[in-house]
Amino acid sequence: MSQDSFASAPTPRVRFAPSPTGFLHVGSARTFIFNWLFARHNDGTMVLRLDDTDVERNTEASVQSIFEGLRWLGLSWDEEYKQSERLALHRSAAHAIFEKGLAYRDFTPAHAAVGEASSAQGAWLFNPGTRELSREESDRHAAAGEPFALRYRVPRGQGRTLSFVDAVYGEQSKSADEVEDFALLRSDGMPTYHLASCVDDADLHISHIIRGQDHLTNTFKHLLIFEGLSVEPPPVCAFTAACRARWHQALETPPRPRRQRHHLSRRRLPAGGVHQLPVPARLVTQERP
């Protein structure tokens, strides 16, 4: 993935994929706008995809906040999807990765609470004894009804380096030995963010991934998933606060928003929404190099 490929790919398809677990905020709105600008400037397709697989935290109020906030900004999209309606596709992809030997069942009790919490401290990579379990023994445990998470078998001890070129940050690399065996499916059979996001990006033919800086480190895991799916990963761009244009001031988040349930701003935008803001309009209409 090179910076040249990010700029030169024909007819882009980009996506904004919020999780409806909270109100739409200024950072999410900015992510949509960057994708929207890129799509509209290049006569591409803007996809709105709700990443709503976290059933315990999703709320209808959050869903409405996303739609109301984007419409209040005068933004539009061309296609709309919900990940919760695509679960069969996600599970099929996880099974395919498992059948290739690139994933394994982890029967460790309370795997999510222990694994993810320890991973944040940089200590946990995998649960001992789980990677080495034979396929026959794994099948026997599964047939007995024992709950398990499906984890990606990250290559270890091979001196492998995962790398990609971010259109903002440049070349990024990390040793595969430092990446934990992340979950693809939870013990309840629900796909994780990492799996669902990559499967949907591939299936929906997303050509460019434009997202916030906080997702930069996730890309190393996603490279492995795309590899497991035998799919070429799209070029990526991680924008930061330094990329904010002057019009961002119109979206400042107030300390205690009262009227705007989506927590975007108390300031009034022009009647035409973001279309009337000078910088985005110029970016959409200016000639391509």
Side-chain angles (χ1 to χ4, degrees), residues 4-67:
D4 290 339
S5 65
F6 187 90
S8 61
T11 317
R13 287 177 57 85
V14 296
R15 47 78 163 171
F16 174 62
S19 298
T21 57
F23 292 113
L24 182 71
H25 56 81
V26 64
S28 297
R30 191 173 70 247
T31 299
F32 187 103
I33 291 173
F34 272 81
N35 279 276
W36 179 83
L37 286 171
F38 186 73
R40 293 295 179 258
H41 178 68
N42 293 285
D43 299 322
T45 302
M46 180 72 215
V47 174
L48 174 59
R49 188 183 75 213
L50 293 182
D51 287 4
D52 59 347
T53 58
D54 191 346
V55 293
E56 294 183 357
R57 298 176 58 205
N58 294 338
T59 67
E60 184 60 28
S62 296
V63 173
Q64 294 306 313
S65 164
I66 293 169
F67 287 112

Side-chain angles (χ1 to χ4, degrees), residues 145-264:
E146 296 184 30
F148 62 86
L150 191 68
R151 294 190 179 277
Y152 198 98
R153 191 186 301 274
V154 177
R156 305 192 182 284
Q158 304 175 13
R160 182 173 176 185
T161 298
L162 303 172
S163 61
F164 64 96
V165 177
D166 183 276
V168 171
Y169 281 94
E171 186 171 354
Q172 303 292 308
S173 61
K174 185 175 186 178
S175 170
D177 291 336
E178 299 176 1
V179 179
E180 76 272 15
D181 287 1
F182 54 92
L184 299 174
L185 296 177
R186 304 183 183 94
S187 58
D188 60 1
M190 290 295 289
T192 61
Y193 158 75
H194 299 299
L195 174 71
S197 181
C198 291
V199 171
D200 283 343
D201 284 345
D203 183 67
L204 297 175
H205 304 288
I206 300 302
S207 65
H208 300 74
I209 298 177
I210 306 174
R211 74 282 190 266
Q213 177 190 9
D214 53 322
H215 287 290
L216 187 67
T217 56
N218 288 335
T219 307
F220 297 109
K221 299 175 182 178
H222 296 180
L223 289 175
L224 291 170
I225 295 176
F226 283 122
E227 180 179 296
L229 296 172
S230 300
V231 173
E232 182 71 21
V236 296
C237 170
F239 65 83
T240 66
C243 295
R244 297 176 188 173
R246 289 173 296 173
W247 51 266
H248 173 71
Q249 296 176 358
L251 300 176
E252 287 180 351
T253 304
R256 293 183 180 180
R258 298 177 180 177
R259 298 180 181 178
Q260 299 297 339
R261 288 188 299 162
H262 41 69
H263 293 197
L264 284 177

Side-chain angles (χ1 to χ4, degrees), residues 61-89:
S62 296
V63 173
Q64 294 306 313
S65 164
I66 293 169
F67 287 112
E68 291 175 6
L70 295 176
R71 289 178 179 133
W72 179 73
L73 286 168
L75 295 166
S76 61
W77 52 94
D78 306 303
E79 299 176 14
E80 184 180 314
Y81 303 92
K82 287 185 177 180
Q83 282 192 334
S84 58
E85 298 174 350
R86 303 168 60 82
L87 298 180
L89 179 66

